[in-house]
């Protein structure tokens, strides 16, 4: 078991806890970008600041506008793998990101936080970069912060190792 030094919470596996994988179509290996040393992969990580945690509070319209601007920046990045923290689980927000994932060719993997928190982690992975479906596990530190860890294993097209 892994322990967190700052909060001393024990990391517990959350088997089947509300986690979801949305492939938005078949996973089809494409010709990956490659270098002499192997497959190149672009990564993006972003804490989106879920609206319930924004101070001062913003209007629903401001939350929608901010989410659409975030989606536009993620689209512009053209990253192969995108890790999003404080990913808001509100239906309209989820639909906007799900529509983005479907239109841009991403698998969308979502892990809600424990304790009824309104957010979680989301990982988006370009389907054409995959040789097979990703697998995902969600872990909880089981602490006062309801913190989670999303662990995703990928098999990339053109790469024999699993990431």
């Amino acid at each position: 078991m892994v322990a967190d030094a700052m909060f001393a919470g024990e990391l517990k596996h959350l088997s089947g806890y509300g986690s979801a994988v949305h492939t938005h179509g078949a996973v089809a290996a494409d010709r990956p970008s490659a270098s002499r040393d192997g497959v190149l992969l672009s990564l993006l990580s972003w804490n989106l600041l879920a609206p319930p945690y924004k101070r001062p509070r913003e209007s629903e319209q401001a939350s929608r506008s901010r989410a659409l601007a975030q989606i536009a920046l993620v689209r512009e990045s053209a990253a192969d793998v995108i890790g999003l923290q404080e990913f808001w689980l509100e239906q309209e927000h989820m639909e906007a990101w799900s529509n983005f994932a479907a239109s841009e060719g991403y698998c969308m993997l979502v892990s809600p936080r424990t304790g009824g928190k309104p957010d979680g982690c989301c990982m988006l992975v370009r389907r054409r970069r995959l040789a097979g479906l990703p697998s995902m596990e969600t872990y909880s530190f089981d602490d006062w912060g309801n913190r989670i860890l999303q662990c995703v294993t990928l098999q990339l097209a053109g790469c024999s190792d699993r990431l």
Side-chain angles (χ1 to χ4, degrees), residues 22-30 75 78-82 97-109 123-130 134:
H22 308 276
T23 61
H24 301 293
V27 174
D30 197 2
R75 178 179 284 115
D80 296 313
V81 179
I82 302 157
W97 280 99
S98 184
N99 290 339
F100 163 77
S103 69
E104 299 296 319
Y106 287 97
C107 291
M108 183 171 146
L109 303 101
M123 185 172 291
L124 300 163
V125 183
R126 283 207 188 273
R127 288 191 317 267
R128 73 173 186 256
R129 299 303 308 267
L130 298 172

Side-chain angles (χ1 to χ4, degrees), residues 21 39 41 48 50-51 56 78 93 97 135 145 152 158:
V21 177
V39 176
L41 190 67
L48 298 174
H93 184 81
W97 280 99
S135 65
V152 177

Side-chain angles (χ1 to χ4, degrees), residues 3-11 141-143 147:
D4 181 296
M6 184 172 178
F7 300 102
E10 185 177 325
L11 190 62
F141 284 97
D142 200 23
D143 63 3
R147 296 172 307 138

Side-chain angles (χ1 to χ4, degrees), residues 66-80:
R66 188 162 58 90
L68 293 175
Q70 290 169 333
I71 290 170
L73 287 169
V74 168
R75 178 179 284 115
E76 187 179 317
S77 79
D80 296 313

